Amino acid sequence: MNDSHPQHILHLSEEQQKKFLGSFDRVVSDIDGVIWNMYNTIPGAPEAFVALEKTGKELTFVTNNSVRTVEQAVRHFEKIGMSVRPEQITHPSQNTVDYLRQINFQGLIYIIASPPFKAVLREAGFQLIDGPNEIIDENFQSLAKKIFDQQPVNAVIIDVDFNMSSTKLLRAQLYLRNPECLFMEGATDRFLPIGKGVNIIGPGAFTNILLEASGRKPITVGKPGRELGKLLVEKYKIDQSDRVLMVGDMMAQDIVFGRQCGFQTLLVLSGGCTLEQLRSETDPSHIPDYYADSLADVAQILGQSRKSHF
């Protein structure tokens, strides 16, 4: 029911709420900004997911946060009263492994990413090089020694790296001069919300530098990548996309991803998007079917629905 004026789920009539809850069998949800943020659990979110599961909904979590491992996420879910299995979580590093295996990739990878991301690829048997990880002298001779390389790199992969440097980007740019070199990205977020009203530059901004410098468009295995959509549909054997509800707090990542996949979409305002930003958005691909202040609103509807024997 997407239009330029999405409805707040608590403003739906009781009959519309009942119809909404009956319109999907699986929930595909973001994590950060939906269930918890950097410091706290978002009130009502765990209760909403527990209630959704009790009504028979399948739960899948799709994150762009590769700094936190799947195992760490599972433990965090447990702390807040949710039982989530590793196979329910779709993670950028594992998406990368799945895609590389799907295309039968062979060869050396130059990677700009966090240590946990690199560890997943190494454990999967891929050969990686990275760096430079030290500060270089401020002269062209020192720079040239670090960015010009004769190693046969067959792929450049970029994701979140809190030690990002211009030297790493320059090195990646030079590898990408080879048209046969694969170019991949995980997380696409241009900004990362780390607190109320505080956003820091995200990996998407650095990927855009490489895109502009190389003229190469990356294969995207994070939200809102089409390749990720294909992997997810295949992994969870989704045959009715319109029976899936995508929940997220970012329009450019979560809502665009959901709409590309043919899912219904619910934007929550508990993370990286404000009501003002939602109201001022004009791109139809960014506008959700529904919105809510947080998943506590879903918990409230489910509470009402249980009373009416939904």
Side-chain angles (χ1 to χ4, degrees):
M1 61 161 289
N2 179 277
D3 56 32
S4 59
H5 301 287
Q7 287 186 278
H8 193 296
I9 59 171
L10 291 186
H11 297 166
L12 299 172
S13 68
E14 187 173 343
E15 186 60 34
Q16 287 173 322
Q17 289 177 353
K18 188 174 180 180
K19 185 176 179 182
F20 166 66
L21 290 171
S23 68
F24 58 91
D25 308 306
R26 178 183 294 275
V27 177
V28 173
S29 178
D30 182 31
I31 298 176
D32 297 274
V34 176
I35 305 167
W36 59 67
N37 55 34
M38 185 171 284
Y39 304 105
N40 302 298
T41 302
I42 294 168
E47 292 82 357
F49 279 111
V50 170
L52 282 165
E53 203 162 33
K54 283 181 179 177
T55 66
K57 311 299 185 187
E58 297 285 340
L59 303 183
T60 300
F61 300 95
V62 182
T63 180
N64 271 4
N65 185 344
S66 60
V67 177
R68 182 185 54 236
T69 67
V70 170
E71 292 73 21
Q72 288 169 336
V74 168
R75 289 196 295 271
H76 199 117
F77 275 121
E78 190 174 353
K79 284 181 183 177
I80 63 172
M82 292 177 62
S83 177
V84 175
R85 304 181 307 279
E87 56 268 26
Q88 288 178 266
I89 301 173
T90 299
H91 187 276
S93 59
Q94 189 57 51
N95 300 340
T96 302
V97 168
D98 291 344
Y99 183 82
L100 292 173
R101 284 176 172 165
Q102 191 178 81
I103 65 170
N104 195 28
F105 176 84
Q106 303 290 326
L108 187 62
I109 297 170
Y110 176 68
I111 189 162
I112 302 173
S114 64
F117 191 110
K118 296 173 191 174
V120 171
L121 267 70
R122 287 194 177 102
E123 286 166 14
F126 293 102
Q127 186 183 0
L128 311 180
I129 58 172
D130 59 14
N133 296 308
E134 68 279 355
I135 296 174
I136 67 168
D137 294 334
E138 294 287 335
N139 59 64
F140 282 110
Q141 291 80 7
S142 178
L143 176 66
K145 288 178 183 176
K146 296 297 184 180
I147 66 173
F148 287 100
D149 183 23
Q150 299 302 314
Q151 296 185 80
V153 168
N154 291 332
V156 168
I157 297 175
I158 181 169
D159 191 73
V160 176
D161 183 353
F162 292 152
N163 290 288
M164 178 63 75
S165 67
S166 61
T167 318
K168 292 179 180 180
L169 290 173
L170 290 168
R171 189 173 174 187
Q173 177 199 358
L174 293 177
Y175 289 132
L176 290 171
R177 291 185 302 171
N178 175 7
E180 301 300 316
C181 182
L182 191 67
F183 184 20
M184 292 182 65
E185 66 173 335
T188 62
D189 310 60
R190 291 177 60 248
F191 294 99
L192 300 174
I194 60 170
K196 195 69 176 176
V198 181
N199 295 328
I200 62 173
I201 297 171
F206 300 117
T207 304
N208 285 342
I209 292 173
L210 281 180
L211 187 157
E212 195 172 322
S214 67
R216 302 277 304 280
K217 187 175 180 181
I219 293 163
T220 306
V221 292
K223 293 174 296 182
R226 292 185 184 278
E227 290 81 8
L228 171 59
K230 293 173 187 174
L231 288 170
L232 187 139
V233 167
E234 184 178 321
K235 179 177 180 179
Y236 297 106
K237 297 178 172 56
I238 297 171
D239 55 6
Q240 286 184 279
S241 59
D242 61 338
R243 298 285 305 173
V244 177
L245 178 69
M246 176 73 208
V247 180
D249 69 308
M250 301 287 279
M251 289 186 288
Q253 278 74 41
D254 303 314
I255 302 307
V256 170
F257 177 69
R259 285 178 57 74
Q260 280 181 173
C261 293
F263 302 159
Q264 298 182 61
T265 53
L266 170 65
L267 178 75
V268 290
L269 303 178
S270 51
C273 182
T274 65
L275 181 58
E276 292 72 25
Q277 288 171 323
L278 171 60
R279 286 176 171 166
S280 63
E281 183 57 64
T282 58
D283 186 339
S285 70
H286 288 60
I287 298 172
D289 295 310
Y290 306 94
Y291 76 99
D293 293 339
S294 73
L295 274 176
D297 296 339
V298 174
Q300 182 177 332
I301 290 177
L302 284 162
Q304 293 170 348
S305 297
R306 282 196 297 276
K307 289 175 188 174
S308 60
H309 308 290
F310 169 76

